[in-house]
Amino acid sequence: MNLSVTRKCCSRVRLFRNKAAVYHCRRLSDVPISSDDSQPSPEEKPRRTRRAPGKAAVLLFPGQGSQFVGMGKGLLKYGNVKEMFAVAEKVLGYDLLSLCLSGPEKDLMKTVHCQPAVFVCSLAAVERLNHENPAAIESCVSAAGFSVGEFSALVFSGAMNFAEALFAVKVRAEAMQKASELVSSGMLSVIGRPQANYKYACVQAREHCLSLGIQEPVCTIANYLFPDGRVIAGHKEALDFLQNHSRELNFMRTRILPVSGAFHTALMEPAVEPLRDVLQKIEVRRPEISVHSNVDGKRYMHDKHVCNQLAKQLVSPVKWEQTLHEIYERAQGQEFPHTYEVGPGRQLGSTLQKCNMKAFKNYTNVDVVLP
């Protein structure tokens, strides 16, 4: 399905844009998603009100790897969740809701399926939070998403429309899957001792690959998660070397991640142009709240900045630890905001706990499954 068809079949989906706030303070029926949607006048644009830190909220959106069969169960009763899944079926060309609820797991785990699934389920969790605790939505001043979670955060912030962002996620996932199939590669989760030198370990792994005759081997840090927590990605032979020499490298624990390729490394270069191309064709606006980029942890400043960073993100490490420092840095004695992880899993809460225990004390997980 191309973008023009996406716009036509999804024109009934609407995104929040009124005086109250961005996505979070609005109903999906307020503003059409179509690209010819008129922009509000300057006096109608939501104002960013200053809030006491203890009364503000931060939303964190998870990424690929957080998905599981059964997510989304019970969420159809909230807000626009049912309509979101109906639109997803038209944009994607398959029944995403059925895949989330019933699997099969081997299909849900595929990059082409799990990225759209996490994207939609995360925004479904926002609908649940908006129903159960609307004050959390109204008081949100900042958001960040891990990898594909950035698209969820940008939709939430009003920078993208739901259906168009979903189409971009579809293109992104397909391009990443295709790039993964070109080289035998993967990702390795590493927890190291304080003296571990991750970059030097990658150098050694690349040298090992060269000794095997591999041309231009790739082995780099792909995710900065928390102090002494990294994900290293690259050629399979490089990851095998790191696991086999983990003791000498001061790695306490290593685990191969169940993903199809070396995401956020140079091996994803073939996926950059397809994503850049689709981002140029959809409507992207300046976020109405602070949304932080994975590339450097800094806030997005304007629409072109969003597009450039999202394309660059594919071949750059996710600097999640640095992003958390940017979000939660404050003067001594100043209160921390309430943090909500919206989407499947609790991985981002776990990383927050390891990076900033004081901020974690105000953490809440918004589950994507109702008991």
Side-chain angles (χ1 to χ4, degrees):
M1 179 176 290
N2 60 37
L3 185 57
S4 62
V5 176
T6 297
R7 285 172 173 161
K8 289 178 182 178
C9 75
C10 302
S11 60
R12 73 177 189 278
V13 177
R14 301 172 186 277
L15 215 62
F16 310 78
R17 195 190 303 160
N18 65 17
K19 295 180 181 179
V22 202
Y23 176 110
H24 43 288
C25 296
R26 301 171 271 192
R27 297 293 301 164
L28 278 171
S29 58
D30 287 346
V31 177
I33 193 166
S34 56
S35 60
D36 58 352
D37 176 31
S38 59
Q39 294 285 344
S41 61
E43 62 271 15
E44 291 177 316
K45 288 187 178 181
R47 287 186 174 184
R48 300 185 185 188
T49 57
R50 287 189 174 273
R51 296 182 181 273
K55 295 182 180 180
V58 172
L59 264 60
L60 302 180
F61 294 84
Q64 182 172 348
S66 62
Q67 71 278 354
F68 59 89
V69 174
M71 64 182 187
K73 182 179 180 181
L75 296 186
L76 295 184
K77 68 178 183 179
Y78 295 115
N80 302 275
V81 176
K82 186 175 182 180
E83 186 178 11
M84 289 161 63
F85 276 106
V87 168
E89 184 172 359
K90 293 185 177 182
V91 173
L92 301 172
Y94 58 87
D95 188 348
L96 181 67
L97 178 60
S98 177
L99 183 61
C100 290
L101 295 178
S102 306
E105 184 178 28
K106 64 180 179 63
D107 288 341
L108 181 60
M109 295 298 287
K110 293 178 180 177
T111 296
V112 292
H113 295 145
C114 69
Q115 289 193 16
V118 170
F119 169 83
V120 176
C121 284
S122 295
L123 292 172
V126 171
E127 292 289 325
R128 177 183 180 181
L129 180 60
N130 191 40
H131 176 82
E132 297 178 347
N133 185 7
I137 299 296
E138 293 167 4
S139 62
C140 183
V141 297
S142 185
F146 194 100
S147 192
V148 72
E150 276 203 60
F151 286 85
S152 307
L154 287 164
V155 170
F156 173 77
S157 75
M160 290 181 175
N161 296 323
F162 172 79
E164 291 187 349
L166 177 58
F167 183 77
V169 168
K170 175 180 182 288
V171 171
R172 178 186 190 267
E174 291 171 347
M176 291 174 71
Q177 179 67 49
K178 188 175 181 180
S180 299
E181 294 169 355
L182 298 175
V183 178
S184 179
S185 59
M187 305 184 78
L188 181 72
S189 174
V190 176
I191 296 179
R193 294 183 175 87
Q195 62 267 39
N197 188 327
Y198 303 97
K199 291 185 178 180
Y200 181 62
C202 291
V203 170
Q204 289 182 287
R206 291 196 296 271
E207 290 176 350
H208 169 72
C209 289
L210 287 171
S211 72
L212 298 177
I214 298 174
Q215 301 295 318
E216 299 181 359
V218 171
C219 184
T220 59
I221 298 173
N223 301 162
Y224 292 83
L225 300 177
F226 49 85
D228 299 317
R230 303 286 187 272
V231 172
I232 296 175
H235 281 81
K236 182 181 180 298
E237 294 82 354
L239 303 185
D240 290 342
F241 173 87
L242 295 178
Q243 285 193 296
N244 293 335
H245 296 81
S246 58
R247 179 173 293 184
E248 305 98 284
L249 296 170
N250 290 305
F251 293 169
M252 292 190 295
R253 193 167 72 212
T254 62
R255 180 174 64 91
I256 291 290
L257 299 181
V259 295
S260 60
F263 303 148
H264 304 290
T265 72
L267 292 178
M268 287 295 108
E269 189 64 42
V272 172
E273 198 56 39
L275 178 59
R276 193 189 307 276
D277 182 61
V278 74
L279 289 173
Q280 291 175 349
K281 295 176 181 177
I282 68 173
E283 181 184 7
V284 180
R285 299 175 291 273
R286 181 178 184 268
E288 298 289 351
I289 60 172
S290 296
V291 177
H292 293 257
S293 168
N294 286 177
V295 174
D296 54 14
K298 305 296 184 182
R299 291 182 299 161
Y300 284 116
M301 303 308 296
H302 49 77
D303 55 346
K304 290 184 179 179
H305 189 208
V306 171
C307 295
N308 290 337
Q309 294 291 78
L310 285 177
K312 188 177 180 180
Q313 184 221 68
L314 289 179
V315 292
S316 303
V318 173
K319 295 187 175 179
W320 191 251
E321 180 182 355
Q322 295 87 331
T323 297
L324 295 181
H325 288 315
E326 285 283 337
I327 293 174
Y328 295 103
E329 183 180 15
R330 59 206 58 243
Q332 187 174 0
Q334 193 175 25
E335 289 185 81
F336 284 89
H338 295 278
T339 297
Y340 299 88
E341 182 172 358
V342 281
R346 298 171 180 262
Q347 293 92 329
L348 301 186
S350 178
T351 59
L352 178 59
Q353 185 178 20
K354 292 179 176 66
C355 288
N356 193 322
M357 178 57 78
K358 290 183 179 180
F360 178 73
K361 290 179 179 179
N362 291 335
Y363 165 86
T364 300
N365 171 255
V366 183
D367 204 347
V368 292
V369 176
L370 289 185

